[in-house]
Structures are given as C-alpha cells and as structure tokens.
Amino acid sequence: MKSKPVIALIGNPNSGKSSLFNQLTGLRQKTGNFPGVTVEKKSGPSSLGDSIEALIVDLPGVYSIYPKSLDEQIVTDILANPAHPDYPDVAIVVVDASNLRRNLLLFTQIADLGVPVILALNMLDVAQQQQQEVNAVRLSMKLGVPVVRINARVGEGLGLLKKAVLQQLEKPTVTGQLFFDPATDQQALVGDVKSQYQLQNNYLALQYVIQHDGFSFLDTPKRVALDRLIDKHQFVEQEYQAHETIERYKYIGDVVKEAVVDRRPLDQPTWSQKLDLLLLHPVWGYLIFGAILFLIFQAIFAWSSLPMDAIDAGIANLNTWLKDNLPSGSLTDLLTDGVIAGIGGVVIFIPQIAFLFLLVALLEESGYMSRVMVLMDRLMRHFGLNGRSVVPLISGVACAVPAIMTTRAISSWRERLITIMVTPLMSCSARLPIYTILIALVVPEQRVLGIFNLQGIVLMALYLLGLIAALLAAYVFKKLVNAKERSLFIMELPTYKLPRWNHVGLTIWESVRAFVWEAGRIIVTISIILWVMASYGPGNSLDQAEARVRQNSSTASADVVENQVASARLEASYAGRFGQLIEPVIKPLGYDWKIGIALIASFAAREVFVGTIATIYSIGSDSADDESTIKGRLKTEINPETGQPMYTPALAYSLLIFYVFAMMCMSTIAIVYRETKSWKWPAIQLFYMSALAYVSAFIVYQLMK
C-alpha cells in the first residue's frame, strides 16, 4: 500500500461530494444546494487509520465521462491518465440515492476504466421522503463493488466508508466484467489502439479514440495517429457514444429494478414539484424573484444601520481618546489619522456584508438558486448568455474573481467569454461601502408607502443598474463575437432543503474574513502611504503654506484658522500636488483633487476609496465632534469654489454611477487574463468599462448640477 494514497471523490453535480470532502478532511470548501459549486479540483489530507493518511481529491461534478465544459475536462484528464499525480488509488463515486438511475451512468463509466471504486449512497433521507427504498446489499451484489450508505451533510457512515477504502487499498478489486465492452462490436479498432498505445483496458482504449483531442497528455503525433485509426475503421464517434449510453441505461434499468423499491404514486407530484409550479411560473416566478431581491436590499439597510452607527461612533471615540491621551507628534498622527482612520473605513461595513451574505446563503442552501438559473435562462438567451451565466453574475455580487472562475462550467466558449466580459459590471461587495456611505449622505432616511426604506430602494436600483448594464453589454458582445456553436442548458433541480445553519454561518464568516483581512490589508497599507504623502511635501512647502494662511487670517477665529492651515498643508503635500495634477481630467465629473487621490488609490481595489477619503479628510480637517465620524467628515466638507457643501446630490450620484461601471480592480484584470489566456480581453474590458463609467458620470453630473 502507498504511504499516502490518493482518493478521488467523483459524482454528479450537487450529489454531495463537497460536503463529503469537508467531512473527510475537516476543511471548509464552499458547498451549496445547487449544481456547479465545484469548478476546479480541491484536495486535502484525511486520516484513514492509525498510520495512514490519504490525499482526498474533490473533482468537479460531471454527469458522464464525456466532458461538456472546461471543468469537466479535468475529470477525464485525470482518470484516463494513470501517470497523472492525482490519478486515484481508489475512487469514491458519490451518488444521489433519490435519482439512482441517472447517477449510475457515471459510476459504470468510472468502473469500466479499471479504477478501484466504492459506491457511496448519499441522500437516502431524500429518497425515503420520496417513498423510495434502496437496498445497498443487493446493489453491491449486482454491481460487484462495495456500497456504503452515507449522509454527507451530517457525516453519517464515514467510519464504514473509510473501512471500505482501506480494504480497497489493501486488496484492490475491480468489477470482473465491463458494464459496456466496446470490443464486442469494435474489436479491431480497440485492438489497434491497445496495441499502439500499450493499453490493457478496452474502455480506456475507446476513450483514446473519442476524446483524444481533449486529452492534455497526448501530443500531436499521437492524436494524428488516432485520427488515422478512426478513418481506417470508419468509426463515427457521436453515433457510437449514443449507442453506449443506450446500452448502459438498459443495464442500469435492470439493476435499479432489483435494488430499489419505489412506492411513489405515479401521478402525484412531490411538494418540491408543486412549489416549482409557482416559483418557475413565467409571470409569478419573475415577480417573486424581484420581490426577494427587493427584500434583501431593504434588509441590508434596515438591519445594519444600528450596528454600523455603533461601530462608526466607537472608532471615532477611540480616535479621540488616543489623541487626548497620547503625546502629540508624528507617530500619534500616523496612528489616529492613518491607521485608525483606515481601519474605520473597513470595519464599519461588516454588518452590511454579513447581512448580504446571510440572505444569499439562505437562497443557495434552500435550493432556490437553481430555480433562478432556470428562470433567468429564458431571459439570458436574448443577450448571448444562458442559465449557467446566472451563477457567475450572482456570485459577482460577492466578488468578481471567484465568479469569473465559475464560468468554466459554461460549455459554450462564446457564452463563457461574454459572461467573463460582463460579470465585473455586477456590483461586488467592494462597492457596497461606497454605495452606502454616499447614499446615506444624499438620500433622506425616510419611508415610502409607510414600510419601505428609501435608501434601500436606491441601493437596489444601483445593483439593478449593474445587472442591466451587464445584459446590454452582453448583447453588444453577442453581435461582435462570432461562433458557430450550439448551446444547450441542462439543469437538474435539487429538492428544497432547510438551510444548514453551520454552513450559513461559515459562509458569512468567510465573506467577512475575506473583506476584513484581504481588502483590509490593502486599505490599511494605502492609508498609511497616503498619510505619509499627505503629511509631507517637497522642501518646506508645508510650512510656507501654513505661514501664508496665518499671515492672511489674522482676524479670523482660532478654529477657522486651524481649519485653513490643515487644508493648506494638505494642498501643498505630495498627495495634494498629485491630486491637483489629475484634477483637470475629473473636473467635468464634479470631482476635486481630494476625490482624485481616492480614485487613483482605488484602482488597486474599489473598497480603498472610502478608507482613502477617511484618511484624506482626517488630515485636511480639524477634529470637532461632528467631524469625528466618516459620514460627519463628508457632510461638513466645503467646496472652496462655491462655499457650499462639497457632497451635493449631483456629485454623489456622479460618483455612484462611476463606481457602478468602473473596472478598478487589479485582481479581476488578472483573473480575466488567466481565464482567457490573452491580454486582449482584459484590455478591452478595462477600456469599455472605464469609458462607460466616465461618460455616464459626466452626464449625471451635468444634468443634476
């Protein structure tokens, strides 16, 4: 036995592989009650006994061994190549017991490749609810492999599963006879392939014939040689693949007939099917989805305002206390105006992000997200997308980087590319702090029709604007990107389930942690750099600026003079000079040089904008009580040209529209390059989104000023 065997988890989408992976490894891979959660392989260690540790590899969900998308290709590339480092010593095929007939198709294909397999019967509780009873012993006898009953959601049956894995490792056994043997009717072709490529397995030889163009481990000469064999034997791949599927289902039908007792009334729909009649209705379905989105954005504002105010006030009080109790000097200024102001710009938005992901996790866990994909497929088709594009677009509300990775599940190259190009238009969580702080400044906190929060309505409108822009951009790309390929959308609807609250809590924790830790590091770093740039200038320019102000303000009150001194020193600093350099470009949008500094800083990550503004205004103003919070500082900022408040509705809406459309995320540019394998598409994306943001913000400001 190998010192560290490789155990692969394989199964249909949404069969419970990722839940089983988490149970076996103790890791916390994302799970959900909808297909396509896993789009790349994940691995982690698991102890099988006193001294044996295995590497568990969770492969993307597939319906058959013939891949339809990039993520599915990973599975075939590994299982058809024994030299691959992740080639399994044992494969655990996880099947949905409530849909055994369809799940066994993949199982029989994996077993025919000669991999030692174990069948893990999952979702037996769902099968029982549907009045189906699966006899595991009879199933094991019919298939000739170990069959273990598990519940991946709660971890039942793990001990028996590990015991079965150990037995397979100690004495590997494979099915004695292939479930489908291609040598029966393609003996000459299979014989030639086995002879030329030194293969022992008939079904693996067939995979070389059918899938050689997709196998990454075959070079061009070997692929050309296989093409010659196909011509020589006049082999028609698609016809034979269909023949194989029909033959397998004939065998599977007999197995299921003997191993499953099905007491379901023939004409009585399940409660999930009854609910789908309403949620997938061509009219009611869209209205219900719109109402759910509306409630989500109402809840974000209504539930989070109290904890946000508490955090904002707490940060302000801490800053005041530090200034009062620490010796004055550069280090204290760096701590209060740089570090604390930057941290304040991050943590204040934790409540809103937590509530957003709480509600999204509930939709995923319940199974409603799959219905959204089906519902939206009808709409998406008109814009060059399909239902699977919904997952990246909705995931884009969290972060565009993982959202773009989920496009690997889209089989059509054209639809995948279009989805990648428009996903960053969906408002990610990094934009949420910008939206909420600006909405709170210019939108009154009042009720509409007595129950709806006006700020929540504006927030939802911004998210919808991003979605509409994504659809329109997709339509343009549909006209520009030509491809002669047919697109199919196949989606299995899971049964509705009660959310697993530990998974919901985990989703919230991971989202908040990612925002605070990953975005927070950038924000705090840039805040410190900005503090240095805003506190120092070339030569003694800051002292000269202060002297000029004091000389010209001899009759003004002390508070007014101190405010003017702070502004003059900031304007003369390195940051101020840089902001003034770019001010002519952003002036038509209503922005001054201080906002220009924040715009440039937020090119690294959008969430930097609020932290930068907080740092800039901490340095540029005094610390009167009303200016101690972020909202207070923005409210009291005065436009030096008009003498009126700087953040007018025209400027705020111009900024909001700018950030709805602006790319401004280095990580997204990098992931688009990685997924498209070209700088052409990220360059086009950066250009069109930047132009859209600038022109839209210009129009809004000029119309509203």
Side-chain angles (χ1 to χ4, degrees):
M1 186 187 303
K2 288 166 63 175
S3 59
K4 191 168 185 177
V6 177
I7 312 298
L9 301 183
I10 308 169
N12 286 183
N14 207 36
S15 61
K17 287 185 303 84
S18 298
S19 296
L20 180 59
F21 175 82
N22 290 342
Q23 295 285 354
L24 288 171
T25 62
L27 297 176
R28 296 180 294 188
Q29 186 182 338
K30 178 177 170 59
T31 62
N33 188 20
F34 62 99
V37 175
T38 308
V39 294
E40 59 181 355
K41 67 182 176 68
K42 307 281 185 183
S43 58
S46 176
S47 173
L48 297 179
D50 294 335
S51 58
I52 300 176
E53 184 180 85
L55 180 69
I56 308 295
V57 180
D58 182 18
L59 296 173
V62 292
Y63 289 106
S64 87
I65 203 169
Y66 298 104
K68 299 288 188 299
S69 57
L70 277 179
D71 58 327
E72 294 182 4
Q73 185 65 53
I74 297 171
V75 181
T76 315
D77 250 0
I78 291 174
L79 296 180
N81 180 16
H84 195 287
D86 288 326
Y87 185 81
D89 297 287
V90 174
I92 299 176
V93 182
V94 184
V95 299
D96 174 0
S98 66
N99 202 344
L100 196 58
R101 185 186 303 271
R102 196 208 56 224
N103 281 245
L104 284 180
L105 174 69
L106 176 66
F107 165 79
T108 59
Q109 291 174 326
I110 304 294
D112 280 351
L113 286 173
V115 182
V117 290
I118 295 170
L119 187 70
L121 265 180
N122 194 27
M123 300 187 188
L124 284 158
D125 52 339
V126 178
Q128 194 172 18
Q129 289 168 9
Q130 296 178 359
Q131 302 180 49
Q132 296 181 73
E133 187 178 331
V134 182
N135 189 322
V137 175
R138 194 169 294 169
L139 189 62
S140 176
M141 291 173 64
K142 289 294 295 180
L143 297 175
V145 300
V147 176
V148 181
R149 299 162 64 95
I150 65 165
N151 186 331
R153 283 167 70 93
V154 298
E156 285 180 6
L158 288 190
L160 290 174
L161 184 62
K162 288 183 179 181
K163 188 177 177 182
V165 170
L166 282 171
Q167 289 174 347
Q168 278 287 47
L169 289 171
E170 288 170 358
K171 189 178 180 182
T173 57
V174 295
T175 52
Q177 186 177 355
L178 296 184
F179 295 106
F180 175 82
D181 189 352
T184 305
D185 45 19
Q186 293 290 336
Q187 186 173 9
L189 173 61
V190 170
D192 282 351
V193 176
K194 288 173 67 177
S195 172
Q196 288 193 22
Y197 295 89
Q198 288 79 52
L199 301 177
Q200 301 297 320
N201 183 287
N202 290 349
Y203 191 59
L204 182 57
L206 178 67
Q207 297 310 306
Y208 269 58
V209 174
I210 296 179
Q211 300 199 50
H212 60 277
D213 287 333
F215 284 163
S216 61
F217 55 89
L218 291 181
D219 56 22
T220 302
K222 289 179 178 175
R223 292 176 184 173
V224 171
L226 283 162
D227 283 334
R228 289 198 201 99
L229 287 178
I230 289 173
D231 292 339
K232 174 185 172 184
H233 295 278
Q234 297 182 334
F235 181 77
V236 182
E237 299 169 26
Q238 288 186 340
E239 283 184 14
Y240 197 78
Q241 198 176 323
H243 164 66
E244 177 196 338
T245 303
I246 292 169
E247 291 301 312
R248 284 188 187 277
Y249 270 124
K250 283 182 184 173
Y251 179 83
I252 290 169
D254 294 337
V255 172
V256 171
K257 196 173 179 180
E258 291 196 29
V260 180
V261 177
D262 192 346
R263 299 189 179 90
R264 284 179 295 180
L266 290 176
D267 300 326
Q268 185 174 337
T270 64
W271 72 274
S272 282
Q273 291 167 332
K274 292 176 184 174
L275 197 53
D276 283 342
L277 291 175
L278 177 65
L279 296 180
L280 296 177
H281 190 274
V283 177
W284 291 111
Y286 289 107
L287 290 177
I288 292 171
F289 181 48
I292 289 173
L293 288 181
F294 187 77
L295 289 175
I296 286 176
F297 291 110
Q298 286 290 310
I300 288 173
F301 259 103
W303 296 351
S304 58
S305 60
L306 208 61
M308 284 183 73
D309 289 342
I311 293 172
D312 202 14
I315 293 291
N317 290 334
L318 174 63
N319 226 346
T320 303
W321 185 85
L322 289 172
K323 283 182 175 178
D324 291 343
N325 290 277
L326 293 177
S328 59
S330 298
L331 285 178
T332 300
D333 290 344
L334 171 61
L335 178 64
T336 56
D337 296 339
V339 177
I340 301 295
I343 292 173
V346 177
V347 297
I348 188 176
F349 299 104
I350 288 178
Q352 287 185 325
I353 289 172
F355 283 126
L356 174 65
F357 284 97
L358 163 67
L359 298 168
V360 171
L362 290 178
L363 296 184
E364 292 181 353
E365 283 280 323
S366 65
Y368 181 68
M369 199 62 82
S370 297
R371 277 70 186 180
V372 173
M373 293 183 212
V374 174
L375 198 66
M376 296 300 288
D377 182 62
R378 303 167 191 162
L379 178 67
M380 294 288 181
R381 292 277 168 195
H382 300 292
F383 298 95
L385 305 170
N386 77 23
R388 286 198 177 274
S389 302
V390 173
V391 173
L393 291 179
I394 291 181
S395 301
V397 173
C399 177
V401 173
I404 287 172
M405 291 175 67
T406 62
T407 61
R408 295 176 190 174
I410 300 173
S411 58
S412 161
W413 172 83
R414 179 170 177 252
E415 289 173 351
R416 179 170 182 256
L417 178 64
I418 294 174
T419 307
I420 289 173
M421 295 301 285
V422 304
T423 293
L425 283 169
M426 298 298 292
S427 291
C428 64
S429 60
R431 287 161 163 137
L432 189 59
I434 304 171
Y435 291 172
T436 52
I437 199 78
L438 292 173
I439 288 173
L441 278 178
V442 297
V443 178
E445 193 174 353
Q446 66 183 49
R447 296 285 172 184
V448 177
L449 301 177
I451 53 173
F452 300 121
N453 184 303
L454 181 59
Q455 293 179 335
I457 293 174
V458 174
L459 179 65
M460 180 178 171
L462 292 173
Y463 276 79
L464 285 179
L465 183 61
L467 174 62
I468 293 169
L471 293 178
L472 293 177
Y475 185 78
V476 174
F477 281 112
K478 175 187 172 185
K479 297 295 180 185
L480 296 176
V481 180
N482 295 316
K484 295 179 181 177
E485 57 179 358
R486 292 183 60 195
S487 165
L488 296 173
F489 173 64
I490 302 172
M491 172 62 62
E492 178 190 7
L493 295 179
T495 55
Y496 292 101
K497 292 186 175 71
L498 287 174
R500 290 167 291 183
W501 294 107
N502 59 333
H503 282 224
V504 173
L506 184 63
T507 300
I508 297 170
W509 164 249
E510 291 291 343
S511 304
V512 171
R513 187 189 65 81
F515 177 75
V516 172
W517 178 241
E518 295 175 15
R521 282 183 300 176
I522 302 173
I523 292 171
V524 171
T525 302
I526 291 182
S527 296
I528 294 172
I529 293 171
L530 271 175
W531 178 87
V532 173
M533 290 181 65
S535 300
Y536 298 93
N540 59 349
S541 56
L542 270 66
D543 293 336
Q544 290 175 355
E546 180 177 345
R548 281 196 300 274
V549 170
R550 292 191 184 282
Q551 189 176 6
N552 298 329
S553 307
S554 55
T555 58
S557 66
D559 286 347
V560 171
V561 171
E562 289 305 315
N563 232 349
Q564 291 175 345
V565 166
S567 295
R569 289 180 68 89
L570 177 61
E571 195 169 350
S573 68
Y574 289 116
R577 290 165 188 266
F578 182 71
Q580 290 164 45
L581 187 67
I582 63 170
E583 192 177 48
V585 179
I586 58 176
K587 193 77 174 175
L589 310 184
Y591 312 155
D592 66 356
W593 56 271
K594 292 181 182 178
I595 296 175
I597 295 171
L599 282 178
I600 295 298
S602 63
F603 259 104
R606 298 180 186 96
E607 52 270 57
V608 170
F609 178 82
V610 175
T612 304
I613 285 290
T615 304
I616 290 290
Y617 289 143
S618 293
I619 297 166
S621 302
D622 66 10
S623 56
D625 288 344
D626 193 36
E627 298 177 6
S628 57
T629 65
I630 296 174
K631 282 190 284 188
R633 283 193 287 269
L634 296 183
K635 276 182 181 174
T636 53
E637 179 68 8
I638 300 297
N639 187 331
E641 295 181 2
T642 63
Q644 299 297 314
M646 181 71 195
Y647 284 85
T648 61
L651 185 144
Y653 280 109
S654 172
L655 266 175
L656 285 170
I657 297 301
F658 183 88
Y659 274 101
V660 167
F661 299 135
M663 181 71 168
M664 304 187 77
C665 179
M666 296 297 182
S667 301
T668 303
I669 294 173
I671 197 68
V672 171
Y673 165 72
R674 180 180 148 188
E675 294 299 310
T676 60
K677 296 181 173 54
S678 165
W679 281 113
K680 171 185 169 185
W681 297 110
I684 292 174
Q685 196 174 45
L686 178 62
F687 175 77
Y688 97 80
M689 288 182 67
S690 301
L692 183 61
Y694 188 92
V695 172
S696 303
F698 173 79
I699 293 172
V700 167
Y701 181 73
Q702 296 301 326
L703 290 177
M704 293 186 67
K705 73 176 180 178

